[in-house]
Amino acid sequence: MARSVNVTVTGAAGQIGYALLFRIASGQLLGQDTKVRLRLLEIPQAVKAAEGTAMELEDCAFPLLEGIDITDDAKTAFDGVNVALLVGARPRTKGMERGDLLEANGGIFKPQGEAINAGAADDVRVLVVGNPANTNALIAQQHAPDVPAERFTAMTRLDENRAYSQLANKLRVPVTEIKRLVIWGNHSATQYPDLSHAVVGDRPALELVDDQEWVENTFIPTVAKRGAAIIEARGASSAASAANAAINHIHDWVNGTAEGQWASMAVPSDGSYGVPEGLISSFPVVCKDGKYEIVQGLTVNEFSRAKIAATVAELEEERDAVRKLGLI
Ligand SMILES: NC(=O)c1ccc[n+]([C@@H]2O[C@H](COP(=O)([O-])OP(=O)(O)OC[C@H]3O[C@@H](n4cnc5c(N)ncnc54)[C@H](O)[C@@H]3O)[C@@H](O)[C@H]2O)c1
Ligand SMILES: O=C(O)C[C@H](O)C(=O)O
């Protein structure tokens, strides 16, 4: 018999929510052998819009969808949750400084962490999508002391997918030929998309690219600033591609990464590669039996070391800022 999983999506009435929910309900998140009960969390003003989305979900008659609950109460939303997708966040608006943004999001992710701590299922897995994703994940995690710390993750899979496509376009190869491309650090413009371990077929990607100038001045900035480029072009931030990456992240975590493949996930550091313990930073991971492990033993050259240090320094600044605000 198909097992049944509670999936909570916050910010369900937003644009990512709209791109995400139908894919979850159709079985793309957890597989065709898993039934899903959806819990949608929204702010009171957006509950009606979430109800509209729920009506559409119903109208799809998805065989795996067992039910939909909608609430504006975090405790209710996370009671018994197995998979928590924290998408809803406070966007930066005109005149808002970075500290204001961190403070506003602290007001969201602190109570959500507490609610996860109070009611989540023992096997809960949390993915934070709402920005600043790494630090929001840290805030939630710090308020859920009874949940194993490693269950709190943040999303850099969209950056990884973007990097795969940029490299595939450059080399004119299908994305399926590429493996082991890694995103390190923060989901921000300081992130480090790293080609130094990537292979295309059985050849090193850097050997095929053979153009360090392209790597440094085109590839890395294009991937790192892609979010801003999408906002500029669409007039709104990425939504379907972000939802797709969230599906990829959880699917790999639960069902395992493909043989020989890595995934980029922002996870609490265990001190690997000199990243201070506890920071939620992106690493290459391998997933198996429902768990992820940071890939160990990689050679990090001088260029990569400096890039990783820069993005990690930004994460430390964000952590220190939320500490100062009393959010962690
Ligand atoms: N990590 C990534 O790769 C990535 C990529 C794209 C977007 N994002 C981020 O994802 C977030 C959502 O993007 P979007 O385009 O869906 O935004 P959106 O504004 O369309 O939707 C956000 C929704 O969250 C809801 N919300 C706000 N506070 C809430 C709370 N306390 N509880 C529950 N819901 C709440 C809002 O009512 C809104 O419906 C943003 O922070 C965006 O920057 C991250
Ligand atoms: O919302 C943003 O600032 C951009 C988003 O995180 C993205 O990478 O598309």
Side-chain angles (χ1 to χ4, degrees):
M1 216 179 65
R3 66 194 179 106
S4 202
V5 166
N6 293 325
V7 179
T8 300
V9 178
T10 76
Q15 15 154 37
I16 295 177
Y18 195 75
L20 186 57
L21 290 166
F22 297 85
R23 296 190 59 183
I24 298 171
S26 71
Q28 292 179 54
L29 185 75
L30 298 165
Q32 294 301 322
D33 58 349
T34 306
K35 294 196 169 187
V36 171
R37 278 190 297 267
L38 281 173
R39 304 268 180 73
L40 313 187
L41 178 67
E42 259 298 349
I43 53 173
Q45 311 85 288
V47 162
K48 191 152 192 286
E51 285 169 358
T53 305
M55 287 163 70
E56 283 202 74
L57 282 160
E58 220 175 278
D59 294 348
C60 294
F62 286 119
L64 293 172
L65 184 58
E66 282 196 326
I68 311 169
D69 296 312
I70 304 163
T71 179
D72 60 7
D73 176 57
K75 287 252 157 48
T76 308
F78 292 116
D79 189 36
V81 64
N82 305 104
V83 176
L85 300 171
L86 308 191
V87 178
R90 173 77 198 274
R92 195 202 291 244
T93 43
K94 219 172 158 191
M96 220 175 173
E97 299 298 331
R98 197 170 178 83
D100 302 332
L101 185 70
L102 289 169
E103 191 164 19
N105 279 303
I108 295 174
F109 288 87
K110 179 174 180 276
Q112 291 186 359
E114 289 166 350
I116 289 169
N117 198 52
D122 287 347
D123 69 346
V124 68
R125 293 179 176 85
V126 183
L127 169 62
V128 176
V129 174
N131 279 322
N134 301 52
T135 298
N136 287 340
L138 182 68
I139 295 170
Q141 182 215 53
Q142 294 290 306
H143 294 279
D146 302 330
V147 177
E150 74 273 8
R151 304 287 185 73
F152 283 83
T153 67
M155 192 164 94
T156 50
R157 185 61 171 261
L158 176 54
D159 309 296
E160 181 190 296
N161 289 343
R162 287 166 171 164
Y164 268 84
S165 287
Q166 292 301 319
L167 181 65
N169 291 344
K170 167 78 173 167
L171 296 176
R172 297 176 200 279
V173 297
V175 282
T176 48
E177 287 289 300
I178 305 171
K179 285 194 170 70
R180 302 185 173 191
L181 206 164
V182 181
I183 305 294
W184 298 89
N186 201 1
H187 171 67
S188 76
T190 67
Q191 67 176 266
Y192 173 42
D194 177 9
L195 288 179
S196 64
H197 310 286
V199 290
V200 181
D202 54 9
R203 292 188 59 191
L206 282 177
E207 193 180 295
L208 291 167
V209 168
D210 192 26
D211 184 353
Q212 187 60 18
E213 199 275 332
W214 177 81
V215 172
E216 287 180 32
N217 298 321
T218 302
F219 172 73
I220 294 173
T222 301
V223 174
K225 294 181 191 159
R226 186 72 164 182
I230 301 278
I231 291 170
E232 176 68 28
R234 283 185 87 226
S237 66
S238 61
S241 56
N244 179 63
I247 298 269
N248 295 157
H249 178 116
I250 295 289
H251 188 275
D252 278 358
W253 190 355
V254 173
N255 297 307
T257 36
E259 186 58 35
Q261 185 58 290
W262 301 342
S264 299
M265 287 170 64
V267 304
S269 176
D270 58 2
S272 295
Y273 301 100
V275 180
E277 208 172 323
L279 272 191
I280 297 191
S281 188
S282 186
F283 290 96
V285 304
V286 168
C287 304
K288 204 178 162 197
D289 301 329
K291 296 195 172 100
Y292 63 79
E293 270 183 22
I294 295 173
V295 176
Q296 296 296 336
L298 299 176
T299 308
V300 179
N301 63 27
E302 209 177 306
F303 178 76
S304 296
R305 198 172 295 283
K307 286 282 183 197
I308 294 171
T311 187
V312 165
E314 183 184 50
L315 283 172
E316 289 182 287
E317 272 169 35
E318 289 183 13
R319 179 200 57 199
D320 294 347
V322 295
R323 226 179 234 159
K324 220 178 243 169
L325 289 164
L327 295 170
I328 60 172

